[in-house]
Amino acid sequence: MADQAATGSTIIALSTGRARAAIAVLRLSGPGAGPVLDQLAGTPRPTPRRAALRTLRAGAGGEALDSALVLWFPGPHSATGEDMAEFHIHGGPAVIDGVIQAVLATGLARPAEPGEFTRRAFDAGKLDLAEVEGLADLIGAETAAQRRQALSQMDGALSRRVEGWRAELVRLMALVEAAIDFPDEDVPEDLADSLSGPIAQLARRITKDLAGAAHAERVRDGVRIAILGPPNVGKSSLLNWLAGRDAAIVADIPGTTRDVVEVHLSLEGYPAILWDTAGLRETADPVEQEGIRRARARGAHADLRIMMADPYLWSGFGADPQDIEGPPVIPVINKIDLAPGKVFDPHPIFGPPERISLSDGQGLDPLLTRLTAEVAKLCAQAGEAGLFTRARHVAAAEEAVTALRRSQTHGREPELMAEDLRLAARALGRITGKVDVEELLDLVFREFCIGK
Ligand code: GDP
């Protein structure tokens, strides 16, 4: 009964989460999908892409396992390009395990590896590499801005832009190759001059999109905000207040150094990562010095700094040159409940402070509004999805621009120019996975879990 080829290449996985739920979805992909469907759900097979209600059994005449919706997607018009089947079963552990065991017992399928469904979709040309990354980001998206950006990448926004550039490069390369192959023909003498305009223009177009890369990465990873200030001014209290808001997503990130507390927030749909350098304030001096050094280092790596003081410390606030350099600052005076009516001058560099009290709630809404506006600004215009979402895209695009610029420095040497244009095209191709794919694949697919 068991067909060895089908066993090796037909995969099954639970595509929904492991938690108890009303419905769980099992997916099968590969040549064994149809025969497995026949054995569990009986024949005839459902009409392609139409749900059918069937009793699932462990083999013909076997025990009933569930009453479920089943779907049949014959290749190549399926997510992976292969024959696929889906079982929409009841989401309890005994049902899920029972159906998976029954599928494996047919000998026609094996459990999928992490990311294997998406890998097959990639191999079948259903998704390119940038789209695969968009899919991973979409599954991981925690905020509305992340979702918008990921969906746009999954739908091919980045791929189309990059392929447009590549098509232009191929056109330019053809002209240079013509000059190499037919030097005596009608190729213009001043080839380098005639191509310099289009090449420079292409480099400018890529550079322009690169300028937005920092924004796109911030949307993907979150705007990094460091809360800095002397001990006891209320930094932890602010972090807790922000983290405790209803809209906040709070996540403990394992592996962060114990002296830094990290909290993930959604500020009106924009992702932010808040760092508090708590925990070192009551320790002995050398340790505290180290704490201050680390706090400053955090501040330097942040996109935004909240610098806090209390009413008594405000006059000497932020005087250290190390604090003045670096990312933008929102100055905050906390504990204004302790100094009612006191007037505070604007900071000479950071401007007017937000005046708050975490004890009685004064000034917290205006602070939140300002913080949200700053975060939105750092994520670029609301609603506009970023293009280059990963360091890998940026590195490849920068390499392409460098090669394009270098191609213009070779004067009358079309061979050297052609080589640089080729290098530029290869660099761009790496973004969508058109070249040098193998080394990248493991990296990209590692992000997926089983069943995706
Ligand atoms: P951190 O060392 O900067 O993280 O400061 P904490 O958040 O741990 O706060 C230090 C102390 O100040 C705690 O006892 C807080 O309860 C208190 N505190 C925080 N915010 C306020 C405030 O707005 N008013 C007053 N009166 N006390 C506050």
Side-chain angles (χ1 to χ4, degrees):
M1 176 180 73
D3 170 338
Q4 274 311 309
T7 313
S9 58
T10 301
I11 51 173
I12 173 151
L14 177 66
S15 291
T16 43
R18 261 281 161 195
R20 201 181 296 263
I23 306 287
V25 177
L26 292 175
R27 287 201 301 175
L28 275 154
S29 181
V36 168
L37 187 59
D38 296 343
Q39 288 195 31
L40 267 77
T43 48
R45 252 176 232 176
T47 311
R49 293 175 293 280
R50 292 282 173 89
L53 183 64
R54 296 284 170 91
T55 299
L56 301 185
R57 291 185 185 280
E63 184 194 0
L65 300 167
D66 195 12
S67 173
L69 285 182
V70 296
L71 284 134
W72 164 235
F73 303 94
H77 303 295
S78 71
T80 58
E82 304 175 324
D83 285 352
M84 289 188 79
E86 283 183 15
F87 297 106
H88 294 222
I89 60 179
H90 291 101
V95 181
I96 295 171
D97 289 343
V99 177
I100 291 178
Q101 288 313 318
V103 169
L104 297 179
T106 64
L108 295 172
R110 64 163 171 81
E113 304 286 335
E116 204 174 359
F117 284 90
T118 315
R119 175 75 187 244
R120 290 182 177 202
F122 174 82
D123 288 340
K126 299 273 174 183
L127 294 170
D128 70 25
L129 211 47
E131 289 162 351
V132 166
E133 289 170 331
L135 174 59
D137 287 351
L138 186 64
I139 293 166
E142 287 186 333
T143 74
Q146 289 174 329
R147 184 193 62 223
R148 276 194 291 272
Q149 179 165 290
L151 190 60
S152 139
Q153 187 172 330
M154 190 189 74
D155 284 345
L158 173 59
S159 308
R160 280 191 297 277
R161 188 76 55 94
V162 169
E163 284 311 305
W165 294 333
R166 256 165 61 93
E168 170 68 0
L169 254 175
V170 169
R171 191 183 71 83
L172 298 171
M173 279 156 67
L175 292 172
V176 182
E177 297 291 347
I180 297 169
D181 292 343
F182 310 104
D184 303 327
E185 309 269 326
D186 288 347
V187 177
E189 282 272 301
D190 53 353
L191 177 81
D193 295 343
S194 70
L195 291 185
S196 100
I199 289 175
Q201 200 192 8
L202 183 59
R204 269 199 305 277
R205 274 161 56 198
I206 301 174
T207 308
K208 188 162 158 267
D209 280 323
L210 273 170
H215 298 309
E217 276 189 75
R218 282 190 192 116
V219 170
R220 181 172 179 267
D221 300 334
V223 171
R224 294 160 301 184
I225 306 169
I227 306 178
L228 302 169
N232 232 29
V233 294
K235 299 184 298 296
S236 307
S237 305
L238 177 64
L239 180 103
N240 289 337
W241 180 77
L242 285 165
R245 289 166 52 250
D246 288 345
I249 298 160
V250 184
D252 280 334
I253 305 299
T256 46
T257 45
R258 245 180 284 131
D259 54 337
V260 176
V261 176
E262 182 174 298
V263 165
H264 288 216
L265 302 172
S266 170
L267 296 168
E268 304 213 340
Y270 294 101
I273 303 168
L274 211 56
W275 289 329
D276 176 23
T277 48
L280 285 160
R281 60 182 185 273
E282 275 158 24
T283 48
D285 225 28
V287 182
E288 190 160 322
Q289 287 300 323
E290 174 62 12
I292 292 167
R293 193 194 64 72
R294 290 192 193 180
R296 287 214 167 96
R298 277 280 153 164
H301 285 106
D303 300 305
L304 188 64
R305 292 177 293 171
I306 296 177
M307 300 243 293
M308 283 182 92
D310 65 21
Y312 317 105
L313 294 167
W314 175 244
S315 53
F317 175 81
D320 194 310
Q322 292 186 67
D323 294 328
I324 290 168
E325 299 283 314
V329 168
I330 298 181
V332 172
I333 304 174
N334 183 36
K335 305 193 189 185
I336 57 163
D337 56 295
L338 297 180
K342 188 166 178 188
V343 178
F344 301 99
D345 292 332
H347 188 274
I349 290 154
F350 306 138
E354 294 298 323
R355 302 162 63 251
I356 65 167
S357 165
L358 284 155
S359 290
D360 67 14
Q362 287 182 72
L364 291 178
D365 285 343
L367 171 63
L368 188 60
T369 305
R370 180 161 167 192
L371 190 61
T372 305
E374 289 287 336
V375 168
K377 203 162 76 188
L378 288 164
C379 287
Q381 294 81 13
E384 197 191 305
L387 203 60
F388 296 112
T389 53
R390 291 172 192 243
R392 156 182 116 69
H393 307 155
V394 173
E398 281 173 346
E399 199 181 314
V401 170
T402 306
L404 284 173
R405 299 233 159 97
R406 201 175 44 230
S407 77
Q408 301 196 280
T409 60
H410 303 306
R412 294 186 163 277
E413 300 282 350
E415 285 86 355
L416 294 177
M417 188 180 204
E419 178 59 15
D420 277 330
L421 295 184
R422 257 196 302 277
L423 289 174
R426 278 175 71 88
L428 290 179
R430 281 210 305 276
I431 296 176
T432 50
K434 291 272 151 77
V435 290
D436 287 355
V437 167
E438 279 308 320
E439 63 192 275
L440 287 170
L441 289 184
D442 289 340
L443 234 121
V444 171
F445 287 98
R446 227 177 16 219
E447 286 183 32
F448 279 83
C449 32
I450 292 167
K452 310 257 160 49

